[in-house]
Amino acid sequence: MTDLPLLRVTGLSKIFGDVPVLDRVTLTVQTGEIVMIVGPSGAGKSTLLRCINRIETPSEGTVMIGKKNMAGEERNGNLVPDGPIATARKRRHVGMVFQRFNLFGHLSALDNVAIGPRRVLGVAKSEARARAERELARVKMSAHAAKKPSQLSGGQQQRVAIARAMAMQPTLMLFDEPTSALDPELVGEVLEVIRSLAVEGMTMLVVTHEMQFAREVGTRILFMDHGRVIEDTTPEQFFTNPAQARAREFLKRTLRAEG
Amino acid sequence: MQGFDWAVIWYAAPYMLQGAIVTIEISACAMVVATLVGLVFGLLSVSDLKPLRAVIRAYVYFVRGTPTLVQVFLVYFALPKIGFELSAFWSGVAALAFNSAGFISEIVRGGLQSIDSGQTEAALAIGMTNRQATLFILMPQSLRRITPPLTNELISLVKSSSLLSVISITELTRSAQVIIAQTFTPFELYAALAVYYLVIISVLAWFSEYVEKRLA
């Protein structure tokens, strides 16, 4: 492999009505990078993630994952937009974890994880099950495999949601405020799982308000405000000596709140 | 009760039972057709197929906005004109199904849309298509929510079948009317008629309660 970046975002915008929630974001992520995205609410952090896997359709700009353009196929220099089936196919290997877990309510923890490999990848039933068991073991949820989401705590649900995404063997994981909906005492177990994925070398983009976690686990920090990336640097640099006044202001507020 | 003629009820019983069987047959056929068509239309009205969605919306608009009796006449007189020579029985089935399928498609659509949209997003995020998300995630969860309103609709279908007496189908209501014309005992026979319908609909309601419990 040459150093073709895993993710290349160019001039990505999302405009709701006439408000640009995401404003010409450009970003390159190499395999193995752990990018922590921080910033005030309404900065466009979640929208950035959702436009990368096209859960939200960007207003303009391109997203390349490896050699694949997420919007369509290049033909004779023209972009032919993908239909819904092609889009679904491209999403397979971009995992996403949501703030509200979004587990499938009628399925057990095991089936929540197995249904992707089974229905989307067409893996045999026994193989899908075995894969789901491995992924549940990785997030330490084997003991709860038969339980329905309603029988699990928030932290447990989120760990199952991580296993569900990982069962698709993604090349890139997107975490959208994975601990924001959790009771404080449940945050740790979820961060621990994300940290272990980071250690294994998973490439990930994590939107988070956990500054300590961002600093320890991230290899890179993006600070966003008003739909733009205004600081893109190392955790060390960001937390000790941020270049932008807005970032300094943000840090002062959040660190005081955490203190 | 003074002057209540029980004898006429016994006299009418064989005819009315025959009528009841016709009512049950027509309603059962119409229920199957209406549920299948309503299900498909409900699924299509949450799909990406915009032109089909518009057609279904127009159809629902029409069914909702016109009296069932008018629909019965329309189907009965319109079908032959567009080349469908159906017997009175099947015209009746078609009319009832035409009416009910519209309401059922709305019930199905509502049931599907009542599931938290986050689950659809999660399904899309693991690479499911919209159709897969509907089939594997939304449908199974909405079935239980759909059952009670669906029961209401099917009950109302059975009641609407009494309107088919106007297109000379000798179903339950018409069979009672025929005897009334002979015996001039409207009160006794309409009272009996109500009881016949109550029995049929009670069985239906009991069955749906059973289904609901099984789905729980």
Side-chain angles (χ1 to χ4, degrees), chain A residues 31-66:
Chain A
T31 302
E33 278 195 283
I34 293 147
V35 182
M36 297 287 172
I37 305 171
V38 301
S41 57
K45 309 182 297 290
S46 293
T47 306
L48 171 59
L49 294 193
R50 293 162 64 83
C51 283
I52 286 175
N53 72 351
R54 288 185 84 80
I55 293 284
E56 208 88 69
T57 310
S59 305
E60 54 186 51
T62 57
V63 175
M64 302 285 297
I65 295 194

PDB file of all heavy atoms in Angstrom, chain A residues 31-66:
ATOM      1  N   THR A  31      -4.924   5.692   7.708  1.00  0.00           N
ATOM      2  CA  THR A  31      -5.233   4.472   8.438  1.00  0.00           C
ATOM      3  C   THR A  31      -4.551   4.499   9.809  1.00  0.00           C
ATOM      4  O   THR A  31      -3.376   4.854   9.908  1.00  0.00           O
ATOM      5  CB  THR A  31      -4.752   3.245   7.641  1.00  0.00           C
ATOM      6  OG1 THR A  31      -5.394   3.263   6.372  1.00  0.00           O
ATOM      7  CG2 THR A  31      -5.092   1.952   8.359  1.00  0.00           C
ATOM      8  N   GLY A  32      -5.280   4.130  10.835  1.00  0.00           N
ATOM      9  CA  GLY A  32      -4.722   4.048  12.178  1.00  0.00           C
ATOM     10  C   GLY A  32      -4.860   5.317  12.989  1.00  0.00           C
ATOM     11  O   GLY A  32      -4.608   5.304  14.191  1.00  0.00           O
ATOM     12  N   GLU A  33      -5.283   6.397  12.352  1.00  0.00           N
ATOM     13  CA  GLU A  33      -5.438   7.644  13.116  1.00  0.00           C
ATOM     14  C   GLU A  33      -6.679   7.583  14.007  1.00  0.00           C
ATOM     15  O   GLU A  33      -7.694   6.979  13.635  1.00  0.00           O
ATOM     16  CB  GLU A  33      -5.570   8.841  12.175  1.00  0.00           C
ATOM     17  CG  GLU A  33      -4.244   9.350  11.667  1.00  0.00           C
ATOM     18  CD  GLU A  33      -4.381  10.735  11.047  1.00  0.00           C
ATOM     19  OE1 GLU A  33      -4.865  10.821   9.913  1.00  0.00           O
ATOM     20  OE2 GLU A  33      -4.017  11.718  11.716  1.00  0.00           O
ATOM     21  N   ILE A  34      -6.574   8.211  15.167  1.00  0.00           N
ATOM     22  CA  ILE A  34      -7.720   8.308  16.072  1.00  0.00           C
ATOM     23  C   ILE A  34      -8.016   9.793  16.242  1.00  0.00           C
ATOM     24  O   ILE A  34      -7.315  10.502  16.959  1.00  0.00           O
ATOM     25  CB  ILE A  34      -7.413   7.621  17.402  1.00  0.00           C
ATOM     26  CG1 ILE A  34      -7.280   6.113  17.118  1.00  0.00           C
ATOM     27  CG2 ILE A  34      -8.502   7.878  18.424  1.00  0.00           C
ATOM     28  CD1 ILE A  34      -6.292   5.432  17.995  1.00  0.00           C
ATOM     29  N   VAL A  35      -9.037  10.227  15.510  1.00  0.00           N
ATOM     30  CA  VAL A  35      -9.316  11.654  15.419  1.00  0.00           C
ATOM     31  C   VAL A  35     -10.448  11.989  16.382  1.00  0.00           C
ATOM     32  O   VAL A  35     -11.550  11.470  16.265  1.00  0.00           O
ATOM     33  CB  VAL A  35      -9.725  12.043  13.983  1.00  0.00           C
ATOM     34  CG1 VAL A  35      -9.967  13.541  13.891  1.00  0.00           C
ATOM     35  CG2 VAL A  35      -8.669  11.584  12.989  1.00  0.00           C
ATOM     36  N   MET A  36     -10.158  12.848  17.336  1.00  0.00           N
ATOM     37  CA  MET A  36     -11.174  13.292  18.286  1.00  0.00           C
ATOM     38  C   MET A  36     -11.722  14.625  17.798  1.00  0.00           C
ATOM     39  O   MET A  36     -10.955  15.556  17.542  1.00  0.00           O
ATOM     40  CB  MET A  36     -10.555  13.487  19.673  1.00  0.00           C
ATOM     41  CG  MET A  36     -10.010  12.197  20.263  1.00  0.00           C
ATOM     42  SD  MET A  36     -11.348  11.124  20.797  1.00  0.00           S
ATOM     43  CE  MET A  36     -10.439   9.627  21.197  1.00  0.00           C
ATOM     44  N   ILE A  37     -13.035  14.699  17.656  1.00  0.00           N
ATOM     45  CA  ILE A  37     -13.659  15.926  17.178  1.00  0.00           C
ATOM     46  C   ILE A  37     -14.363  16.586  18.354  1.00  0.00           C
ATOM     47  O   ILE A  37     -15.255  16.000  18.961  1.00  0.00           O
ATOM     48  CB  ILE A  37     -14.656  15.635  16.046  1.00  0.00           C
ATOM     49  CG1 ILE A  37     -13.950  14.858  14.928  1.00  0.00           C
ATOM     50  CG2 ILE A  37     -15.255  16.930  15.509  1.00  0.00           C
ATOM     51  CD1 ILE A  37     -14.875  14.337  13.857  1.00  0.00           C
ATOM     52  N   VAL A  38     -13.921  17.787  18.693  1.00  0.00           N
ATOM     53  CA  VAL A  38     -14.498  18.489  19.837  1.00  0.00           C
ATOM     54  C   VAL A  38     -14.984  19.868  19.393  1.00  0.00           C
ATOM     55  O   VAL A  38     -14.649  20.328  18.296  1.00  0.00           O
ATOM     56  CB  VAL A  38     -13.465  18.641  20.995  1.00  0.00           C
ATOM     57  CG1 VAL A  38     -12.978  17.271  21.458  1.00  0.00           C
ATOM     58  CG2 VAL A  38     -12.299  19.513  20.566  1.00  0.00           C
ATOM     59  N   GLY A  39     -15.774  20.474  20.250  1.00  0.00           N
ATOM     60  CA  GLY A  39     -16.276  21.805  19.949  1.00  0.00           C
ATOM     61  C   GLY A  39     -17.635  21.995  20.565  1.00  0.00           C
ATOM     62  O   GLY A  39     -18.250  21.048  21.023  1.00  0.00           O
ATOM     63  N   PRO A  40     -18.095  23.250  20.577  1.00  0.00           N
ATOM     64  CA  PRO A  40     -19.388  23.534  21.197  1.00  0.00           C
ATOM     65  C   PRO A  40     -20.529  22.863  20.444  1.00  0.00           C
ATOM     66  O   PRO A  40     -20.371  22.480  19.287  1.00  0.00           O
ATOM     67  CB  PRO A  40     -19.497  25.059  21.100  1.00  0.00           C
ATOM     68  CG  PRO A  40     -18.550  25.459  20.034  1.00  0.00           C
ATOM     69  CD  PRO A  40     -17.463  24.438  20.005  1.00  0.00           C
ATOM     70  N   SER A  41     -21.677  22.704  21.098  1.00  0.00           N
ATOM     71  CA  SER A  41     -22.801  22.065  20.414  1.00  0.00           C
ATOM     72  C   SER A  41     -23.293  22.988  19.299  1.00  0.00           C
ATOM     73  O   SER A  41     -23.212  24.208  19.398  1.00  0.00           O
ATOM     74  CB  SER A  41     -23.923  21.747  21.396  1.00  0.00           C
ATOM     75  OG  SER A  41     -24.338  22.920  22.038  1.00  0.00           O
ATOM     76  N   GLY A  42     -23.731  22.346  18.223  1.00  0.00           N
ATOM     77  CA  GLY A  42     -24.134  23.113  17.048  1.00  0.00           C
ATOM     78  C   GLY A  42     -22.975  23.458  16.145  1.00  0.00           C
ATOM     79  O   GLY A  42     -23.130  24.199  15.179  1.00  0.00           O
ATOM     80  N   ALA A  43     -21.790  22.894  16.432  1.00  0.00           N
ATOM     81  CA  ALA A  43     -20.612  23.214  15.622  1.00  0.00           C
ATOM     82  C   ALA A  43     -20.584  22.431  14.310  1.00  0.00           C
ATOM     83  O   ALA A  43     -19.799  22.726  13.429  1.00  0.00           O
ATOM     84  CB  ALA A  43     -19.334  22.930  16.420  1.00  0.00           C
ATOM     85  N   GLY A  44     -21.449  21.404  14.199  1.00  0.00           N
ATOM     86  CA  GLY A  44     -21.468  20.601  12.979  1.00  0.00           C
ATOM     87  C   GLY A  44     -20.704  19.295  13.101  1.00  0.00           C
ATOM     88  O   GLY A  44     -20.481  18.607  12.108  1.00  0.00           O
ATOM     89  N   LYS A  45     -20.334  18.923  14.323  1.00  0.00           N
ATOM     90  CA  LYS A  45     -19.535  17.705  14.526  1.00  0.00           C
ATOM     91  C   LYS A  45     -20.302  16.455  14.092  1.00  0.00           C
ATOM     92  O   LYS A  45     -19.793  15.637  13.323  1.00  0.00           O
ATOM     93  CB  LYS A  45     -19.132  17.566  16.009  1.00  0.00           C
ATOM     94  CG  LYS A  45     -18.475  18.813  16.600  1.00  0.00           C
ATOM     95  CD  LYS A  45     -18.061  18.625  18.043  1.00  0.00           C
ATOM     96  CE  LYS A  45     -19.194  18.363  19.027  1.00  0.00           C
ATOM     97  NZ  LYS A  45     -20.101  19.497  19.300  1.00  0.00           N
ATOM     98  N   SER A  46     -21.522  16.332  14.594  1.00  0.00           N
ATOM     99  CA  SER A  46     -22.331  15.160  14.233  1.00  0.00           C
ATOM    100  C   SER A  46     -22.658  15.165  12.744  1.00  0.00           C
ATOM    101  O   SER A  46     -22.621  14.124  12.084  1.00  0.00           O
ATOM    102  CB  SER A  46     -23.642  15.148  15.018  1.00  0.00           C
ATOM    103  OG  SER A  46     -23.379  14.950  16.383  1.00  0.00           O
ATOM    104  N   THR A  47     -22.983  16.333  12.231  1.00  0.00           N
ATOM    105  CA  THR A  47     -23.328  16.432  10.809  1.00  0.00           C
ATOM    106  C   THR A  47     -22.146  15.991   9.940  1.00  0.00           C
ATOM    107  O   THR A  47     -22.338  15.338   8.918  1.00  0.00           O
ATOM    108  CB  THR A  47     -23.758  17.871  10.467  1.00  0.00           C
ATOM    109  OG1 THR A  47     -24.797  18.254  11.365  1.00  0.00           O
ATOM    110  CG2 THR A  47     -24.255  17.974   9.047  1.00  0.00           C
ATOM    111  N   LEU A  48     -20.932  16.319  10.372  1.00  0.00           N
ATOM    112  CA  LEU A  48     -19.749  15.875   9.627  1.00  0.00           C
ATOM    113  C   LEU A  48     -19.726  14.345   9.538  1.00  0.00           C
ATOM    114  O   LEU A  48     -19.576  13.782   8.454  1.00  0.00           O
ATOM    115  CB  LEU A  48     -18.473  16.403  10.298  1.00  0.00           C
ATOM    116  CG  LEU A  48     -17.147  15.850   9.751  1.00  0.00           C
ATOM    117  CD1 LEU A  48     -16.988  16.153   8.265  1.00  0.00           C
ATOM    118  CD2 LEU A  48     -15.952  16.406  10.531  1.00  0.00           C
ATOM    119  N   LEU A  49     -19.912  13.684  10.675  1.00  0.00           N
ATOM    120  CA  LEU A  49     -19.907  12.214  10.658  1.00  0.00           C
ATOM    121  C   LEU A  49     -21.030  11.677   9.768  1.00  0.00           C
ATOM    122  O   LEU A  49     -20.842  10.758   8.985  1.00  0.00           O
ATOM    123  CB  LEU A  49     -20.089  11.633  12.069  1.00  0.00           C
ATOM    124  CG  LEU A  49     -18.987  11.862  13.098  1.00  0.00           C
ATOM    125  CD1 LEU A  49     -19.202  10.948  14.295  1.00  0.00           C
ATOM    126  CD2 LEU A  49     -17.609  11.646  12.509  1.00  0.00           C
ATOM    127  N   ARG A  50     -22.214  12.270   9.925  1.00  0.00           N
ATOM    128  CA  ARG A  50     -23.384  11.761   9.202  1.00  0.00           C
ATOM    129  C   ARG A  50     -23.295  12.006   7.703  1.00  0.00           C
ATOM    130  O   ARG A  50     -23.906  11.286   6.916  1.00  0.00           O
ATOM    131  CB  ARG A  50     -24.655  12.387   9.776  1.00  0.00           C
ATOM    132  CG  ARG A  50     -24.939  11.926  11.220  1.00  0.00           C
ATOM    133  CD  ARG A  50     -25.910  12.842  11.927  1.00  0.00           C
ATOM    134  NE  ARG A  50     -27.199  12.831  11.293  1.00  0.00           N
ATOM    135  CZ  ARG A  50     -28.138  11.906  11.524  1.00  0.00           C
ATOM    136  NH1 ARG A  50     -27.911  10.958  12.392  1.00  0.00           N
ATOM    137  NH2 ARG A  50     -29.283  11.947  10.905  1.00  0.00           N
ATOM    138  N   CYS A  51     -22.523  13.038   7.322  1.00  0.00           N
ATOM    139  CA  CYS A  51     -22.324  13.266   5.891  1.00  0.00           C
ATOM    140  C   CYS A  51     -21.247  12.330   5.333  1.00  0.00           C
ATOM    141  O   CYS A  51     -21.242  12.008   4.140  1.00  0.00           O
ATOM    142  CB  CYS A  51     -21.930  14.720   5.621  1.00  0.00           C
ATOM    143  SG  CYS A  51     -23.332  15.851   5.722  1.00  0.00           S
ATOM    144  N   ILE A  52     -20.334  11.895   6.194  1.00  0.00           N
ATOM    145  CA  ILE A  52     -19.286  10.988   5.720  1.00  0.00           C
ATOM    146  C   ILE A  52     -19.901   9.661   5.286  1.00  0.00           C
ATOM    147  O   ILE A  52     -19.587   9.142   4.222  1.00  0.00           O
ATOM    148  CB  ILE A  52     -18.209  10.785   6.813  1.00  0.00           C
ATOM    149  CG1 ILE A  52     -17.339  12.059   6.925  1.00  0.00           C
ATOM    150  CG2 ILE A  52     -17.318   9.575   6.490  1.00  0.00           C
ATOM    151  CD1 ILE A  52     -16.331  12.033   8.050  1.00  0.00           C
ATOM    152  N   ASN A  53     -20.830   9.106   6.073  1.00  0.00           N
ATOM    153  CA  ASN A  53     -21.439   7.840   5.633  1.00  0.00           C
ATOM    154  C   ASN A  53     -22.787   8.051   4.931  1.00  0.00           C
ATOM    155  O   ASN A  53     -23.517   7.103   4.692  1.00  0.00           O
ATOM    156  CB  ASN A  53     -21.552   6.843   6.785  1.00  0.00           C
ATOM    157  CG  ASN A  53     -22.617   7.223   7.789  1.00  0.00           C
ATOM    158  OD1 ASN A  53     -23.171   8.321   7.740  1.00  0.00           O
ATOM    159  ND2 ASN A  53     -22.909   6.323   8.700  1.00  0.00           N
ATOM    160  N   ARG A  54     -23.088   9.295   4.633  1.00  0.00           N
ATOM    161  CA  ARG A  54     -24.278   9.652   3.840  1.00  0.00           C
ATOM    162  C   ARG A  54     -25.595   9.245   4.489  1.00  0.00           C
ATOM    163  O   ARG A  54     -26.584   8.989   3.801  1.00  0.00           O
ATOM    164  CB  ARG A  54     -24.198   9.076   2.423  1.00  0.00           C
ATOM    165  CG  ARG A  54     -23.179   9.767   1.551  1.00  0.00           C
ATOM    166  CD  ARG A  54     -23.217   9.262   0.122  1.00  0.00           C
ATOM    167  NE  ARG A  54     -24.245   9.927  -0.679  1.00  0.00           N
ATOM    168  CZ  ARG A  54     -24.091  11.136  -1.212  1.00  0.00           C
ATOM    169  NH1 ARG A  54     -22.956  11.808  -1.034  1.00  0.00           N
ATOM    170  NH2 ARG A  54     -25.052  11.678  -1.921  1.00  0.00           N
ATOM    171  N   ILE A  55     -25.630   9.148   5.827  1.00  0.00           N
ATOM    172  CA  ILE A  55     -26.919   9.061   6.509  1.00  0.00           C
ATOM    173  C   ILE A  55     -27.616  10.401   6.259  1.00  0.00           C
ATOM    174  O   ILE A  55     -28.831  10.504   6.192  1.00  0.00           O
ATOM    175  CB  ILE A  55     -26.709   8.838   8.031  1.00  0.00           C
ATOM    176  CG1 ILE A  55     -26.109   7.474   8.293  1.00  0.00           C
ATOM    177  CG2 ILE A  55     -28.000   9.046   8.815  1.00  0.00           C
ATOM    178  CD1 ILE A  55     -27.056   6.328   8.164  1.00  0.00           C
ATOM    179  N   GLU A  56     -26.771  11.423   6.136  1.00  0.00           N
ATOM    180  CA  GLU A  56     -27.224  12.749   5.732  1.00  0.00           C
ATOM    181  C   GLU A  56     -26.583  12.999   4.362  1.00  0.00           C
ATOM    182  O   GLU A  56     -25.409  12.697   4.179  1.00  0.00           O
ATOM    183  CB  GLU A  56     -26.672  13.773   6.733  1.00  0.00           C
ATOM    184  CG  GLU A  56     -27.493  14.997   6.903  1.00  0.00           C
ATOM    185  CD  GLU A  56     -28.553  14.808   7.982  1.00  0.00           C
ATOM    186  OE1 GLU A  56     -28.223  14.708   9.171  1.00  0.00           O
ATOM    187  OE2 GLU A  56     -29.718  14.745   7.580  1.00  0.00           O
ATOM    188  N   THR A  57     -27.354  13.515   3.413  1.00  0.00           N
ATOM    189  CA  THR A  57     -26.782  13.791   2.097  1.00  0.00           C
ATOM    190  C   THR A  57     -26.140  15.172   2.120  1.00  0.00           C
ATOM    191  O   THR A  57     -26.806  16.157   2.426  1.00  0.00           O
ATOM    192  CB  THR A  57     -27.881  13.756   1.014  1.00  0.00           C
ATOM    193  OG1 THR A  57     -28.622  12.554   1.172  1.00  0.00           O
ATOM    194  CG2 THR A  57     -27.274  13.807  -0.366  1.00  0.00           C
ATOM    195  N   PRO A  58     -24.838  15.235   1.826  1.00  0.00           N
ATOM    196  CA  PRO A  58     -24.166  16.536   1.855  1.00  0.00           C
ATOM    197  C   PRO A  58     -24.721  17.461   0.774  1.00  0.00           C
ATOM    198  O   PRO A  58     -25.189  16.990  -0.261  1.00  0.00           O
ATOM    199  CB  PRO A  58     -22.703  16.191   1.548  1.00  0.00           C
ATOM    200  CG  PRO A  58     -22.585  14.717   1.637  1.00  0.00           C
ATOM    201  CD  PRO A  58     -23.942  14.136   1.458  1.00  0.00           C
ATOM    202  N   SER A  59     -24.668  18.761   1.041  1.00  0.00           N
ATOM    203  CA  SER A  59     -25.124  19.726   0.043  1.00  0.00           C
ATOM    204  C   SER A  59     -24.080  19.880  -1.054  1.00  0.00           C
ATOM    205  O   SER A  59     -24.408  20.071  -2.217  1.00  0.00           O
ATOM    206  CB  SER A  59     -25.389  21.085   0.694  1.00  0.00           C
ATOM    207  OG  SER A  59     -26.291  20.942   1.770  1.00  0.00           O
ATOM    208  N   GLU A  60     -22.807  19.856  -0.671  1.00  0.00           N
ATOM    209  CA  GLU A  60     -21.743  19.858  -1.672  1.00  0.00           C
ATOM    210  C   GLU A  60     -20.470  19.269  -1.076  1.00  0.00           C
ATOM    211  O   GLU A  60     -20.399  19.015   0.129  1.00  0.00           O
ATOM    212  CB  GLU A  60     -21.487  21.272  -2.202  1.00  0.00           C
ATOM    213  CG  GLU A  60     -21.198  22.296  -1.124  1.00  0.00           C
ATOM    214  CD  GLU A  60     -21.099  23.708  -1.697  1.00  0.00           C
ATOM    215  OE1 GLU A  60     -22.032  24.118  -2.429  1.00  0.00           O
ATOM    216  OE2 GLU A  60     -20.093  24.388  -1.420  1.00  0.00           O
ATOM    217  N   GLY A  61     -19.504  19.050  -1.954  1.00  0.00           N
ATOM    218  CA  GLY A  61     -18.241  18.488  -1.485  1.00  0.00           C
ATOM    219  C   GLY A  61     -18.181  16.993  -1.739  1.00  0.00           C
ATOM    220  O   GLY A  61     -19.175  16.375  -2.117  1.00  0.00           O
ATOM    221  N   THR A  62     -16.992  16.420  -1.543  1.00  0.00           N
ATOM    222  CA  THR A  62     -16.840  14.989  -1.794  1.00  0.00           C
ATOM    223  C   THR A  62     -16.259  14.280  -0.580  1.00  0.00           C
ATOM    224  O   THR A  62     -15.532  14.861   0.226  1.00  0.00           O
ATOM    225  CB  THR A  62     -15.903  14.711  -2.986  1.00  0.00           C
ATOM    226  OG1 THR A  62     -14.650  15.322  -2.711  1.00  0.00           O
ATOM    227  CG2 THR A  62     -16.461  15.224  -4.284  1.00  0.00           C
ATOM    228  N   VAL A  63     -16.620  13.016  -0.475  1.00  0.00           N
ATOM    229  CA  VAL A  63     -16.077  12.135   0.551  1.00  0.00           C
ATOM    230  C   VAL A  63     -15.509  10.922  -0.174  1.00  0.00           C
ATOM    231  O   VAL A  63     -16.229  10.224  -0.885  1.00  0.00           O
ATOM    232  CB  VAL A  63     -17.164  11.679   1.540  1.00  0.00           C
ATOM    233  CG1 VAL A  63     -16.595  10.665   2.524  1.00  0.00           C
ATOM    234  CG2 VAL A  63     -17.752  12.869   2.283  1.00  0.00           C
ATOM    235  N   MET A  64     -14.199  10.699  -0.023  1.00  0.00           N
ATOM    236  CA  MET A  64     -13.567   9.525  -0.616  1.00  0.00           C
ATOM    237  C   MET A  64     -13.159   8.593   0.520  1.00  0.00           C
ATOM    238  O   MET A  64     -12.506   9.008   1.472  1.00  0.00           O
ATOM    239  CB  MET A  64     -12.306   9.906  -1.400  1.00  0.00           C
ATOM    240  CG  MET A  64     -12.500  10.899  -2.523  1.00  0.00           C
ATOM    241  SD  MET A  64     -13.289  10.191  -3.990  1.00  0.00           S
ATOM    242  CE  MET A  64     -12.063   8.966  -4.484  1.00  0.00           C
ATOM    243  N   ILE A  65     -13.553   7.339   0.400  1.00  0.00           N
ATOM    244  CA  ILE A  65     -13.071   6.358   1.366  1.00  0.00           C
ATOM    245  C   ILE A  65     -12.210   5.383   0.590  1.00  0.00           C
ATOM    246  O   ILE A  65     -12.715   4.641  -0.262  1.00  0.00           O
ATOM    247  CB  ILE A  65     -14.237   5.681   2.102  1.00  0.00           C
ATOM    248  CG1 ILE A  65     -14.930   6.761   2.933  1.00  0.00           C
ATOM    249  CG2 ILE A  65     -13.710   4.535   2.971  1.00  0.00           C
ATOM    250  CD1 ILE A  65     -15.885   6.297   3.959  1.00  0.00           C
ATOM    251  N   GLY A  66     -10.912   5.429   0.841  1.00  0.00           N
ATOM    252  CA  GLY A  66      -9.977   4.726  -0.033  1.00  0.00           C
ATOM    253  C   GLY A  66     -10.127   5.315  -1.425  1.00  0.00           C
ATOM    254  O   GLY A  66     -10.050   6.527  -1.614  1.00  0.00           O
TER     255      GLY A  66
END
